[in-house]
Amino acid sequence: MDQPEQPSTNGRYAANTDTTFTQQVQRLHQLTVYGRWLVVGCLWLIITPLCLWDLQAEIALWRQYFTWVALRYGLFYHPLSTLSLAFCIGMTTAVLIWQSRNILLGLPEDERRRLEQQVYRIRQQGPSHPLWKWVCQ
């Protein structure tokens, strides 16, 4: 790294043809995937048990006499638990759709550009950046 990398005139970084740069972008994307799944896992481990604890009386009723009306009223009268469970389900669905799109269609151009810019900033900051170890080495 004798000279700092500069963006080219077309908005792309000059180092994006370098194979190590491409590998670093892929590593950063992989870290992003792991980070999103870590957040979803923490949501399920922290929020869901609290919601189920709040709904335990209704769950006991549902186990004895399950009806859709009992489910609706149980969730209706516990709005915080309902919203928390919906948030967990929504986040999981969002990450699944995001990752499926990336696997099936590839990374969108704007997301790839954002990752390239972030790798460029990590390289510029050097070893003092928190992601330096995982991205650049």
Side-chain angles (χ1 to χ4, degrees), residues 83-113:
L83 288 174
S84 299
L85 286 173
F87 181 70
C88 289
I89 293 168
M91 287 295 289
T92 304
T93 305
V95 172
L96 278 171
I97 291 172
W98 172 80
Q99 189 172 5
S100 298
R101 181 207 59 191
N102 290 344
I103 290 170
L104 295 174
L105 304 175
L107 282 174
E109 190 60 35
D110 57 341
E111 192 167 347
R112 181 174 301 281
R113 196 172 318 115

Side-chain angles (χ1 to χ4, degrees), residues 58-132:
E58 279 72 22
I59 291 172
L61 178 67
W62 298 338
R63 289 183 66 190
Q64 291 177 357
Y65 306 103
F66 180 80
T67 63
W68 291 107
V69 174
L71 178 68
R72 188 179 79 191
Y73 279 109
L75 294 176
F76 180 76
Y77 286 109
H78 297 322
L80 187 59
S81 295
T82 303
L83 288 174
S84 299
L85 286 173
F87 181 70
C88 289
I89 293 168
M91 287 295 289
T92 304
T93 305
V95 172
L96 278 171
I97 291 172
W98 172 80
Q99 189 172 5
S100 298
R101 181 207 59 191
N102 290 344
I103 290 170
L104 295 174
L105 304 175
L107 282 174
E109 190 60 35
D110 57 341
E111 192 167 347
R112 181 174 301 281
R113 196 172 318 115
R114 181 189 61 80
L115 288 170
E116 289 173 355
Q117 290 172 354
Q118 194 169 358
V119 167
Y120 174 71
R121 285 192 301 267
I122 291 170
R123 282 179 154 189
Q124 287 291 88
Q125 188 171 343
S128 63
H129 195 281
L131 295 177
W132 171 264

Side-chain angles (χ1 to χ4, degrees), residues 3 13 15-19 30-31 34 39 49 54 56 58 64 66 71 74 78 86 97 100 102 107 120:
Q3 287 185 333
Y13 291 96
N16 68 355
T17 57
D18 188 15
T19 58
Q30 195 66 32
L31 283 172
Y34 289 153
V39 168
D54 187 39
Q56 77 182 33
E58 279 72 22
Q64 291 177 357
F66 180 80
L71 178 68
H78 297 322
I97 291 172
S100 298
N102 290 344
L107 282 174
Y120 174 71

